[in-house]
Amino acid sequence: MSVARKLPPPNPTRRAPLAKADADAIPMPPEAVDGADAANPSSTSTEHIVHAVTRAIVEHRLLPGEKLVEQKIADRFGVSRTIVRQAFNRLSELKLVRLEPARGAFVAAPSITEARQVFAVRRMVEGQMLRELVAVITTAQLRGLKAHLREERDAVKRIDVQARTQLLFDFHVELARVLGNQVLVDLMAELVARCSLITLMYQSADDAETSHAEHIAILKAIEARDADAAAALVDEHLLTVEHQLTERPRAPHIAHRTRSA
């Protein structure tokens, strides 16, 4: 007589399966990345991966808490896992990836305290940045920023979420680029990428049209050479987004989201 095998009781402490990021969500980078060392292929490959993962985070292709699988990313970029680990280390320094011993690399999931600190730094940096920018911006640079806002407008109108997200965040990096200070550009790119994770986790509303309208107002103040107005507008713009942050993650399941096949 056969005896039914007794199944072990469920373990309530067992972790839920990890959500793994789809390597295809990471865009392939261009042939070269500004600042990469062409004479050092290892350095160039590392920067390509850092750039591509950062872009995927800004465009919300990668979600907070998702596991980044070394081998899949290595295969996608045609590099060794050592190169991928170097990129993960750099992304960890930028606070975009969290490294856990024996578990691997995960897209960072910032706390609400960290979120508010990031916005506080942005307000300090961007207010002074605009005051200096107003004094030196050229007609050609103004044309470039206006062209950027036209792309923003078009992406918002066609509800292209990835494109509009990228363009709305990149506007602030483009403002930094006007001053020709690469350290400032790198800092703004890092802060913008961290804000992308923050808004994905904590923002209670996503009003792209309002953000675009505020960008237009900021650029008008810059064109009018009104430094006080430009600084006040960017401060109000950032405060508006910060005030939309909730004290708890907007979607608690986001770290465990699984992508459809």
Side-chain angles (χ1 to χ4, degrees), residues 6 8 46 50 75 82 85 87 95 110 115 135 147 172 189 193 218 225 227 233:
K6 188 176 181 180
T46 299
V50 170
D75 291 344
T82 299
R85 282 194 290 272
K95 308 299 183 186
H172 297 264
I218 290 167
R225 308 287 176 176
L233 284 167

Side-chain angles (χ1 to χ4, degrees), residues 5 26 43 79 81 98 108 116 160 176 209 234 250:
R5 189 172 66 177
I26 303 173
S43 173
V79 298
R81 292 176 65 175
R98 183 182 77 254
R116 298 198 185 284
D160 185 337
E209 290 185 3
V234 78
R250 173 166 57 103

Side-chain angles (χ1 to χ4, degrees), residues 16-239:
L18 293 174
K20 294 183 179 180
D22 183 356
D24 290 339
I26 303 173
M28 292 300 292
E31 288 296 322
V33 176
D34 291 342
D37 183 358
N40 186 340
S42 173
S43 173
T44 301
S45 297
T46 299
E47 289 303 316
H48 279 178
I49 297 171
V50 170
H51 178 83
V53 172
T54 300
R55 176 55 60 199
I57 287 172
V58 170
E59 294 177 356
H60 293 173
R61 295 171 183 261
L62 295 176
L63 301 181
E66 283 189 324
K67 182 176 175 60
L68 299 169
V69 182
E70 272 185 18
Q71 189 60 60
K72 288 185 177 181
I73 295 175
D75 291 344
R76 179 159 176 76
F77 286 85
V79 298
S80 70
R81 292 176 65 175
T82 299
I83 298 296
V84 176
R85 282 194 290 272
Q86 290 173 355
F88 286 173
N89 285 331
R90 177 60 182 144
L91 289 161
S92 176
E93 292 171 358
L94 297 173
K95 308 299 183 186
L96 299 178
V97 163
R98 183 182 77 254
L99 300 178
E100 294 189 14
R103 296 191 71 219
F106 300 82
V107 179
S111 68
I112 188 62
T113 299
E114 180 183 345
R116 298 198 185 284
Q117 289 173 347
V118 168
F119 273 96
V121 171
R122 283 193 63 181
R123 291 201 307 277
M124 287 186 280
V125 171
E126 294 192 49
Q128 183 60 30
M129 179 179 78
L130 287 191
R131 290 183 184 281
E132 295 189 18
L133 181 151
V134 162
V136 301
I137 193 167
T138 66
T139 302
Q141 289 169 328
L142 279 169
R143 282 199 300 269
L145 291 171
K146 287 178 180 178
H148 182 97
L149 291 186
R150 286 195 294 273
E151 289 186 53
E152 260 188 33
R153 177 200 62 201
D154 293 344
V156 169
K157 282 186 175 180
R158 66 177 182 267
I159 318 179
D160 185 337
V161 177
Q162 287 182 346
R164 81 185 185 198
T165 299
Q166 173 190 337
L167 289 162
L168 287 167
F169 278 117
D170 277 356
F171 175 70
H172 297 264
V173 180
E174 292 304 314
L175 290 174
R177 208 179 299 280
V178 168
L179 292 174
N181 184 327
Q182 191 58 44
V183 173
L184 178 61
V185 172
D186 292 344
L187 174 61
M188 283 306 307
E190 175 191 339
L191 291 171
V192 157
R194 292 174 73 176
C195 280
S196 180
L197 289 173
I198 287 164
T199 55
L200 189 58
M201 287 186 69
Y202 296 103
Q203 194 172 15
S204 59
D206 181 13
D207 190 345
E209 290 185 3
T210 297
S211 292
H212 174 63
E214 290 172 350
H215 285 177
I216 292 173
I218 290 167
L219 188 56
K220 284 182 177 178
I222 292 170
E223 188 171 21
R225 308 287 176 176
D226 190 336
D228 289 339
L233 284 167
V234 78
D235 188 72
E236 181 181 351
H237 171 60
L238 294 171
L239 278 172

